[in-house]
Amino acid sequence: MVPDRKYTPGIATQNDLSNHLQRLGLQRAVIVQPSVYGTDNRYMLNALAASGGRARGVAVVDESVEDGTLEALHTAGVRGLRVNHESAHHCDASGLLATLRRWARRIEGLPWHLQVYASWDSAAYTAAHIDSIGVPVVLDHFAMVPTGTPRRDPRLQQILNAVRSGQIWVKLSGAYRIGVDQDGITDLAHAYLDERIDRVLWGSDWPHTNRELGKTSFEVSAYRNISPERLLQQIADWLPGKATRAVLVDNPRALYEFN
């Protein structure tokens, strides 16, 4: 792990992932490079290789990365790059937009997207300027919109407008990162679905990383205790009717190029 990491997670193995998928009745996974490994994607790539084609990856790379390395990542199953401003506590929305534009130029020849983990102010700013990016953008964790935010809020409206235009995808994942009001979380999920059912994704956010209060960055922070039953109930609440197949099957098949 990188020495300047903000926290230290516990062990989560490929076998643990397989058991997690089995408990939820899932056949495929998208493995996102965690911040603690920086730009060293080897564990993620090993997991992709072990998946037998059932997983895709979202990588983190240095800006000096060569085009040949990006092509090799694509061959290995990577379909996007992660831009993580939230874990590093970056709050510069214009800086995030500039970063996305730079990466968009690098990956425009690949069928990739940019996955963004950022504050909802930054997510809204990105949504308002999405025309200038040019590649698909996925906003992680409900776009980090706090629960209870009314749909008329200007920042949420910017995100909803970008979803409606088809230029932004929103991932319903890690609801514990935006609040505890379950009804409010469900309402927010439905707000995105009401705009474009084909621009919504779902993720379990396994293994549910956490920064325990009082722990130093080098002490292991325990994972959140999120049961399979809770995740399955969230799927039932968030994805009514035809949204279930669209969000769990059709949309990830299109974005991540699953066979």
Side-chain angles (χ1 to χ4, degrees), residues 6-29:
K6 304 302 181 183
Y7 73 104
T8 297
I11 298 295
T13 67
Q14 176 71 26
N15 188 58
D16 293 332
L17 173 59
S18 297
N19 290 336
H20 166 71
L21 295 175
Q22 186 175 20
R23 286 193 295 269
L24 291 176
L26 301 175
Q27 296 178 357
R28 299 186 175 105

Side-chain angles (χ1 to χ4, degrees), residues 17 45 124 200 234 243 245 251:
L17 173 59
L45 293 173
V200 178
Q234 288 174 343
R245 179 177 176 84
N251 298 352

Side-chain angles (χ1 to χ4, degrees), residues 67-229:
D67 290 343
T69 299
L70 296 178
E71 292 284 356
L73 289 172
H74 180 80
T75 300
V78 170
R79 291 299 181 268
L81 294 180
R82 186 187 196 201
V83 178
N84 183 349
H85 270 215
E86 184 69 12
S87 293
H89 301 295
H90 292 316
C91 300
D92 180 7
S94 61
L96 171 62
L97 182 62
T99 297
L100 296 177
R101 286 169 174 165
R102 287 197 304 273
W103 279 120
R105 289 192 292 270
R106 291 297 311 275
I107 68 172
E108 60 184 357
L110 294 166
W112 285 16
H113 64 279
L114 296 173
Q115 178 173 309
V116 178
Y117 181 28
S119 70
W120 82 297
D121 284 323
S122 293
Y125 187 85
T126 297
H129 296 84
I130 193 65
D131 287 338
S132 66
I133 296 177
V135 300
V137 172
V138 174
L139 298 179
D140 223 349
H141 306 320
F142 289 81
M144 291 300 289
V145 177
T147 55
T149 301
R151 292 198 191 189
R152 65 180 179 275
D153 185 284
R155 291 165 293 181
L156 179 53
Q157 279 297 312
Q158 288 175 327
I159 297 170
L160 293 175
N161 288 341
V163 171
R164 187 184 313 123
S165 73
Q167 296 171 294
I168 271 183
W169 303 61
V170 174
K171 186 188 294 181
L172 309 182
S173 62
Y176 37 74
R177 302 181 190 276
I178 63 169
V180 297
D181 176 9
Q182 299 305 309
D183 290 338
I185 293 169
T186 298
D187 288 344
L188 183 57
H190 293 174
Y192 292 128
L193 290 169
D194 288 344
E195 298 299 335
R196 286 282 296 263
I197 197 172
D198 63 339
R199 288 297 180 268
V200 178
L201 304 163
W202 175 87
S204 68
D205 204 36
W206 183 90
H208 317 299
T209 56
N210 183 33
R211 300 180 192 172
E212 285 192 272
L213 292 176
K215 291 287 183 70
T216 70
S217 59
F218 294 100
E219 293 179 290
V220 174
S221 285
Y223 293 121
R224 303 169 197 262
N225 183 21
I226 308 296
S227 69
E229 292 76 19

